[in-house]
PDB file of all heavy atoms in Angstrom:
ATOM      1  N   VAL A 419      20.261  28.996 -11.003  1.00 93.00           N
ATOM      2  CA  VAL A 419      19.443  27.816 -10.698  1.00 93.00           C
ATOM      3  C   VAL A 419      18.857  27.933  -9.292  1.00 93.00           C
ATOM      4  O   VAL A 419      17.665  27.673  -9.079  1.00 93.00           O
ATOM      5  CB  VAL A 419      20.274  26.518 -10.863  1.00 93.00           C
ATOM      6  CG1 VAL A 419      19.511  25.307 -10.369  1.00 93.00           C
ATOM      7  CG2 VAL A 419      20.671  26.332 -12.322  1.00 93.00           C
ATOM      8  N   ALA A 420      19.679  28.336  -8.336  1.00 93.00           N
ATOM      9  CA  ALA A 420      19.189  28.488  -6.957  1.00 93.00           C
ATOM     10  C   ALA A 420      18.101  29.556  -6.889  1.00 93.00           C
ATOM     11  O   ALA A 420      17.087  29.380  -6.205  1.00 93.00           O
ATOM     12  CB  ALA A 420      20.348  28.838  -6.023  1.00 93.00           C
ATOM     13  N   ALA A 421      18.283  30.663  -7.591  1.00 93.00           N
ATOM     14  CA  ALA A 421      17.266  31.718  -7.610  1.00 93.00           C
ATOM     15  C   ALA A 421      15.991  31.220  -8.277  1.00 93.00           C
ATOM     16  O   ALA A 421      14.876  31.525  -7.829  1.00 93.00           O
ATOM     17  CB  ALA A 421      17.803  32.959  -8.318  1.00 93.00           C
ATOM     18  N   GLY A 422      16.123  30.431  -9.338  1.00 93.00           N
ATOM     19  CA  GLY A 422      14.949  29.880 -10.017  1.00 93.00           C
ATOM     20  C   GLY A 422      14.160  28.946  -9.119  1.00 93.00           C
ATOM     21  O   GLY A 422      12.920  29.010  -9.059  1.00 93.00           O
ATOM     22  N   PHE A 423      14.864  28.069  -8.407  1.00 94.00           N
ATOM     23  CA  PHE A 423      14.169  27.177  -7.475  1.00 94.00           C
ATOM     24  C   PHE A 423      13.561  27.954  -6.319  1.00 94.00           C
ATOM     25  O   PHE A 423      12.524  27.571  -5.786  1.00 94.00           O
ATOM     26  CB  PHE A 423      15.112  26.085  -6.966  1.00 94.00           C
ATOM     27  CG  PHE A 423      15.070  24.834  -7.785  1.00 94.00           C
ATOM     28  CD1 PHE A 423      15.967  24.635  -8.819  1.00 94.00           C
ATOM     29  CD2 PHE A 423      14.115  23.861  -7.551  1.00 94.00           C
ATOM     30  CE1 PHE A 423      15.917  23.489  -9.596  1.00 94.00           C
ATOM     31  CE2 PHE A 423      14.058  22.702  -8.316  1.00 94.00           C
ATOM     32  CZ  PHE A 423      14.959  22.514  -9.347  1.00 94.00           C
ATOM     33  N   THR A 424      14.206  29.048  -5.922  1.00 93.00           N
ATOM     34  CA  THR A 424      13.642  29.875  -4.858  1.00 93.00           C
ATOM     35  C   THR A 424      12.344  30.529  -5.320  1.00 93.00           C
ATOM     36  O   THR A 424      11.384  30.628  -4.549  1.00 93.00           O
ATOM     37  CB  THR A 424      14.660  30.936  -4.402  1.00 93.00           C
ATOM     38  OG1 THR A 424      15.851  30.259  -3.976  1.00 93.00           O
ATOM     39  CG2 THR A 424      14.124  31.768  -3.251  1.00 93.00           C
ATOM     40  N   LEU A 425      12.294  30.935  -6.578  1.00 93.00           N
ATOM     41  CA  LEU A 425      11.041  31.470  -7.112  1.00 93.00           C
ATOM     42  C   LEU A 425       9.944  30.405  -7.086  1.00 93.00           C
ATOM     43  O   LEU A 425       8.808  30.684  -6.684  1.00 93.00           O
ATOM     44  CB  LEU A 425      11.246  31.998  -8.530  1.00 93.00           C
ATOM     45  CG  LEU A 425       9.994  32.537  -9.222  1.00 93.00           C
ATOM     46  CD1 LEU A 425       9.410  33.703  -8.437  1.00 93.00           C
ATOM     47  CD2 LEU A 425      10.314  32.939 -10.646  1.00 93.00           C
ATOM     48  N   LEU A 426      10.286  29.180  -7.484  1.00 93.00           N
ATOM     49  CA  LEU A 426       9.309  28.082  -7.395  1.00 93.00           C
ATOM     50  C   LEU A 426       8.858  27.869  -5.953  1.00 93.00           C
ATOM     51  O   LEU A 426       7.671  27.622  -5.693  1.00 93.00           O
ATOM     52  CB  LEU A 426       9.913  26.789  -7.945  1.00 93.00           C
ATOM     53  CG  LEU A 426      10.089  26.685  -9.442  1.00 93.00           C
ATOM     54  CD1 LEU A 426      10.796  25.380  -9.806  1.00 93.00           C
ATOM     55  CD2 LEU A 426       8.746  26.772 -10.150  1.00 93.00           C
ATOM     56  N   LEU A 427       9.798  27.954  -5.026  1.00 92.00           N
ATOM     57  CA  LEU A 427       9.475  27.787  -3.614  1.00 92.00           C
ATOM     58  C   LEU A 427       8.513  28.868  -3.133  1.00 92.00           C
ATOM     59  O   LEU A 427       7.548  28.588  -2.407  1.00 92.00           O
ATOM     60  CB  LEU A 427      10.758  27.796  -2.779  1.00 92.00           C
ATOM     61  CG  LEU A 427      10.613  27.738  -1.264  1.00 92.00           C
ATOM     62  CD1 LEU A 427       9.889  26.471  -0.829  1.00 92.00           C
ATOM     63  CD2 LEU A 427      11.986  27.825  -0.614  1.00 92.00           C
ATOM     64  N   ILE A 428       8.752  30.110  -3.532  1.00 91.00           N
ATOM     65  CA  ILE A 428       7.861  31.203  -3.137  1.00 91.00           C
ATOM     66  C   ILE A 428       6.472  31.000  -3.736  1.00 91.00           C
ATOM     67  O   ILE A 428       5.455  31.210  -3.060  1.00 91.00           O
ATOM     68  CB  ILE A 428       8.472  32.563  -3.544  1.00 91.00           C
ATOM     69  CG1 ILE A 428       9.675  32.862  -2.646  1.00 91.00           C
ATOM     70  CG2 ILE A 428       7.441  33.682  -3.458  1.00 91.00           C
ATOM     71  CD1 ILE A 428      10.482  34.062  -3.073  1.00 91.00           C
TER      72      ILE A 428
END
Side-chain angles (χ1 to χ4, degrees):
V419 172
F423 268 94
T424 303
L425 178 60
L426 287 176
L427 176 60
I428 289 171

